[in-house]
Each structure stands twice: as C-alpha cells, then as structure tokens.
Amino acid sequence: MRERGIGRWIVAIPMCLLALATIYPMLFTLNVAMKSRREYVLNRFSLADHLTAANIADAWNTTGLGRYTFNSVLVTAGSVALLLLLGSMAGYAFSQLTFRGRKWLFLVCLGALMIPFQVIMVPFFRVLGQIHLLDTYLGLILAYTGQFLPFTIFLMTSFYSRIPAEIVEAARVDGSTTLGVYRRIMLPLGRPALLSVGILNALFCWNDVLISLLVMQSEQHRTLMVGVTALRGQYSDNIPLFAGGVLVAALPVIAIYLFFQRQITDGVTAGSTKG
Amino acid sequence: MPIPAARRTTATRRWRWNEHKLAALVLVTPALLIIVGLRIVPLVLGAQYSLTGDGDRNGLFVGLANYRTLAADPVFRTAIKNVGLLFLALPIAVAVPGLLATFLFLKVPGHRFYRSVYFFPVVLSPVIIGAIFNILLSFDGPLNQLLGKAGIPPVDWLGNSHIAILSVIGVHIWATFGMALVIFMAGFSTLDQSLLDAARCDGATLPQTVLHVVIPELSRTIQFVFVTTMIGMLTGMFGLVYVMTAGGPGGATYLPEFYIWVTQGQLNSPALASAASMVLFVLMLVVGFAQIRLIKRATKEV
C-alpha cells in the first residue's frame, strides 16, 4: 500500500523534524568536542573555528581512557566468544536433537530471560566474592555471559531450527557423529546468525555500566563506560574535553552501527517476530 | 539366524542413542550450569536474603521487616511513584513509534534513511546518551540559552525535583523509541497485503484502514511492544539516572533499580536491597505475564 499525493509530504515534515531531533544532539556534541573551552563558553552553538581533535586526544591521554578501552575490549571479546560458543552448542541441542527433558531445560533457559540483573545483583555480588572473582576480568566475563546467555540461546535455537533436518540426516548417514555435525554443519551454516548475535552481544557488553560498576572495584579495572561517568565529575568545568571523552567511548559503536546496521536490526527483531 | 541379527540392530541402536544422549549432555550442560548458577541460584538466594537482617542482625531471620522498612522509606516510595510515571509515559512510548512505523510502512520518501536515523540512539550506551543530555540540559547549557533567545526563562531540567524525573524519562523515550519502531516494522512486514488491497477496493480511508485492519492484525506485535517497552523502562534506566542526576535532586529521580544499587553499595544494606529487588521482580512478573505467554508459544515450536 502506497499513500500518494499530498499526504506523503504532510507526514514527511514531522518525520524530518524528528530525524533532526534524533541526530542533532550527537552532532552538537561532536561540534563541542571540536571547540576550545573559551569558544564553548562564549557561544554554545557556533561551529568550531577549525576542526581539531585536540580535545579527543587530550581526553585520551590525560584521563586513563586508553586503559579503560583496553579493559572494555578484553572483557567484551571474552564474553562474546564464550556466549557464542555456549549459545550455539545449546541452540543446536535444543533445535536439532531429541533428548529427555529438552522442553523443560529450554524453558529454564528462557525463564532466565525474565530475571533482570537488578533483581539478582546482591546475591550475585556475594557469590562472586566467595569464589574470589570480584574485580577480575574473568568475573566480569562470567557476569556478562550469565546475563546474555538466555537471549543468545533463544536466538540460536530459533535460527538452527530453520536448518532442514535432511542436511543433518545426510551428514549422519555419511558417518558424522552428533558433535561432528555441530562442528561441520551447525557452525559454518550458522555464521550469519553468529555474526548477528555476536554483534548484539558485543554492543550489550560494551554499553553496560551497572554490572561493570558492581563487579570491577578498582580504578585500573574500570571499563570505558564507567570511565566516562567518572570524567563527568573530573571535568565538569571543561565541557569540550568531556565531550571528547564521550566521543571516544561512542566511536566504536558508531562504526559498528554504520557497518552492521542490518545485522543489528535483524537480531533485535528476530526475538519479536518469533513470538 | 534371525535372532543374532535382531540383537545386533538393537545393540547398534542403543550405541547410537547413547552417543546422541552423551552429545546432548555435553552441548547443553555448560550453558545450563551458567544459567542455573549465575541467575537462578542467585534469585533464590536473593529471596532468602530479603527475609534476613542487615548489620548486626546479619543472617538472622527477620520475617517481613525489610519490606516494612521499604514501605516506610520515603526514598523507596518516590522510586515506586516514579514507576507510576513510567506507566503514564508508556502510551506515548508505544504510540509514537507505532505511528512512525505506519508512515514508514506507507513508504514515505526516504523511509530507509529515517529508519536508520531513528534506530541509531538505541545502540548507544545509556551512559553516552546521559552524558550528551547532561551537556544539553545543564542550567547554563544550550537548551536554556535557546529558550532565553525566545524570551522563555531558563528551566532547571536536571536540578528541579519536579522536572528532573520527567527529563530522564523523556530522554529514555527519545533514546529507545527506535527499538519499538523496528519491532513494529517487522510486524508490518508480516501483514497480509491482500487485506490492505481489499480495504482499498472497498474505499476505506487511511484512518479506517489503520483502525479496522492494521491494528487488529498487529495486536500481537502491539502487545509485545507494550511489554518490552515497559520492561525496558523498569530495567534499562540505571545508566541514565546514574549519569544525569545520580538519583537527585533530593532523591526525586530514584527508580527501584537505582535504589537497589545504592542500598547494596553505598548504604551497605544488602538484605534491604534484596527486598527491594524482590519488589522489582514482582513488578516485572506482572508486566511480563504477557511475555510468559509469548515464550510458551515459542517453546511449542521446539
């Protein structure tokens, strides 16, 4: 159905304004990050005199953002690797294998989707302390894996259930074992799903602040998002430098969005259309 | 010699069944251990903690004392009142993306571009969003300067206890409506085109089509968006509150999740925090009732 004539243009106006309202705050911040402190104090809206990355470089060099970025990359990469491995294994079993209790176990995994981290925060903190994983990379990786695994299993299961049983049968006739089918068929055929789910999980881990605040206690283990919140206190009188720090933290996400937009929106809608 | 042959087949089948069973065990166990150990066991422990005391009564059973403390705590009451505000904001947070998705479905010029732009804030961390709006909404910040030029006195967006929570909720809706939008659009893509053609043949106007064809056909999607948006509000605003107001001014922007974090960390009252967690969980379950039904439907296909 395609609306024609003047109606199309009448709706185009509010859509355009809203698009502007969505994108302008970010462009504003970009512009501020390019300004000197003096320029910002004199005029909030003027375009930066000359394009400079001085604030971004300053924020990077003077505030420990480099260290925080390293922490975030390490923890995100570790969590995504673990999530994809465990998620695809369980997803294969739930979608293609028959074994006793399959339905119930799957229900347990899905039920965990409805337990938000806020609700288990206190005992989680204690349990992690008891096994001496507080303030460690492994502790945070496990925390993220626990947090996002139910969602990952859900998506991987629904993806793998679309792989025709005939392909699996054929491999079995050729003498492949159940685990061989996982390695030779599920992993290669699942690559688009793994990419999509991996990017989503990477965004979740990268963007998180609550779990990281709870698990990482020492300054040297801070992740990037926690580092940015700390900048706010330190540089409340130097907004351009603060904006520079914000940009550093946002740039990887912006890049991922520009490259993998399709995969991201496909991933988030896969959970909804299935319902 | 029929008997040995039959025996051999059974033996082979049993071996295969075992290999299969073993493989399933190997594939599922690690994930289940993590989910049970890091989500379900803590949930049970949390329910238990919520019935014990803090400080010198640590570990002692105190019954519902923590819940009574919560009910009397003005800060927690503000947090619950703010949840009420979230419910009031919910129709806006659903209707705006619903309307926009309808426009995009009708393929207004540049619909692909709009979709990309609207969705963009969804992928940014609440910390980044909060930081950006911290700059924009500060008292001497750009928005107030703009208002000043229009002759409107400045508004203390984040410092006025009546306005701050509205600012935070507004920013949350601004940042997340793209999510509901793409879910709506996925719903539209499953819409039966022939129904729309039939409506057009019958001479239905656009509002009539939306009211009598689109909304009934998309009722599941709409229900799903309502639930996910509300759960997103209940569990996804910590970063915004933390960065934009830190719960202030005077505790006016507390939400249950922020209360839990402060009570556990700063106030060192894990038992009280656990009780607040349970309240949040019950709230979630009430909201998620619809989601349980969706999950049931999903498990039927396995």
Side-chain angles (χ1 to χ4, degrees), chain A:
Chain A
M1 177 153 166
R2 218 180 159 97
E3 200 56 16
R4 273 166 232 284
I6 198 150
R8 295 175 65 169
W9 296 100
I10 289 175
V11 297
I13 293 166
M15 308 240 356
C16 219
L17 287 177
L18 194 66
L20 201 66
T22 307
I23 213 71
Y24 183 74
M26 293 162 215
L27 294 177
F28 181 88
T29 310
L30 178 70
N31 189 37
V32 171
M34 302 287 178
K35 287 172 154 185
S36 71
R37 207 164 142 188
R38 202 180 120 78
E39 254 183 291
Y40 181 74
V41 173
L42 287 178
N43 188 338
R44 303 277 192 272
F45 297 99
S46 67
L47 282 177
D49 257 352
H50 43 273
L51 289 182
T52 162
N55 287 309
I56 298 176
D58 267 7
W60 180 265
N61 291 326
T62 60
T63 58
L65 284 190
R67 171 91 210 168
Y68 306 151
T69 304
F70 170 79
N71 293 341
S72 276
V73 169
L74 186 71
V75 170
T76 301
S79 309
V80 170
L82 200 56
L83 279 163
L84 290 184
L85 178 69
L86 300 184
S88 63
M89 280 163 55
Y92 165 42
F94 285 131
S95 63
Q96 298 279 353
L97 306 181
T98 48
F99 53 94
R100 218 194 300 168
R102 183 180 64 153
K103 247 189 178 163
W104 278 103
L105 295 178
F106 188 59
L107 206 64
V108 167
C109 292
L110 286 191
L113 265 177
M114 299 204 313
I115 310 173
F117 186 76
Q118 287 87 340
V119 168
I120 55 168
M121 192 160 90
V122 179
F124 188 88
F125 183 77
R126 282 204 193 174
V127 169
L128 220 54
Q130 270 157 12
I131 53 179
H132 304 291
L133 285 178
L134 271 184
D135 201 28
T136 63
Y137 293 121
L138 182 62
L140 192 53
I141 289 174
L142 279 180
Y144 285 146
T145 307
Q147 173 72 11
F148 304 122
L149 192 54
F151 170 76
T152 307
I153 291 177
F154 177 55
L155 287 191
M156 289 316 296
T157 303
S158 76
F159 181 83
Y160 280 152
S161 58
R162 267 176 272 153
I163 292 180
E166 289 79 35
I167 296 184
V168 179
E169 274 308 306
R172 290 205 148 274
V173 170
D174 290 346
S176 201
T177 60
T178 310
L179 290 177
V181 170
Y182 170 72
R183 222 181 54 237
R184 278 192 283 273
I185 295 180
M186 291 297 153
L187 280 185
L189 281 183
R191 224 179 281 155
L194 289 171
L195 178 68
S196 192
V197 175
I199 290 168
L200 272 183
N201 278 323
L203 285 176
F204 293 156
C205 297
W206 185 268
N207 285 342
D208 163 75
V209 62
L210 173 64
I211 301 176
S212 153
L213 262 178
L214 188 82
V215 174
M216 294 310 210
Q217 315 259 294
S218 64
E219 205 246 323
Q220 51 157 354
H221 284 152
R222 261 183 201 160
T223 56
L224 191 51
M225 290 309 140
V226 178
V228 169
T229 65
L231 281 190
R232 173 67 184 151
Q234 276 171 282
Y235 296 97
S236 53
D237 60 335
N238 191 347
I239 296 296
L241 187 77
F242 177 58
V246 170
L247 270 188
V248 168
L251 279 177
V253 175
I254 296 173
I256 285 182
Y257 185 65
L258 291 179
F259 278 112
F260 296 110
Q261 218 191 105
R262 248 273 88 82
Q263 281 85 350
I264 296 170
T265 45
D266 283 357
V268 296
T269 49
S272 64
T273 45
K274 182 86 178 147

Side-chain angles (χ1 to χ4, degrees), chain B residues 138-237:
Chain B
S138 67
F139 193 70
D140 61 349
L143 183 60
N144 275 342
Q145 285 207 343
L146 213 60
L147 289 180
K149 278 184 191 142
I152 302 168
V155 179
D156 200 354
W157 298 105
L158 300 174
N160 179 316
S161 60
H162 298 293
I163 296 171
I165 183 67
L166 300 179
S167 303
V168 176
I169 294 174
V171 170
H172 179 77
I173 294 177
W174 174 90
T176 54
F177 80 91
M179 180 78 188
L181 180 91
V182 298
I183 296 176
F184 272 128
M185 288 185 74
F188 272 121
S189 67
T190 63
L191 199 62
D192 191 352
Q193 196 68 33
S194 61
L195 282 175
L196 295 176
D197 292 337
R200 190 155 25 157
C201 284
D202 291 346
T205 62
L206 180 63
Q208 280 173 332
T209 314
V210 169
L211 202 66
H212 297 294
V213 180
V214 174
I215 291 182
E217 282 293 305
L218 287 186
S219 63
R220 274 186 194 178
T221 308
I222 295 170
Q223 183 191 337
F224 184 84
V225 171
F226 260 101
V227 172
T228 47
T229 306
M230 192 62 217
I231 288 179
M233 284 175 157
L234 280 175
T235 62
M237 288 180 68

Side-chain angles (χ1 to χ4, degrees), chain B residues 11-63:
Chain B
T12 318
R13 194 177 294 150
R14 184 174 301 150
W15 180 82
R16 279 196 51 163
W17 184 76
N18 276 337
E19 185 267 338
H20 188 86
K21 193 177 147 187
L22 189 72
L25 199 73
V26 169
L27 289 167
V28 170
T29 307
L32 270 174
L33 276 180
I34 290 206
I35 287 176
V36 171
L38 297 182
R39 322 223 75 205
I40 296 181
V41 168
L43 180 69
V44 177
L45 284 177
Q48 186 206 331
Y49 289 166
S50 76
L51 303 173
T52 64
D54 278 316
D56 50 358
R57 298 170 73 195
N58 184 19
L60 292 177
F61 181 79
V62 296

Side-chain angles (χ1 to χ4, degrees), chain B residues 245-260:
Chain B
T245 62
T253 51
Y254 265 70
L255 286 168
E257 49 174 337
F258 193 76
Y259 183 93
I260 297 166

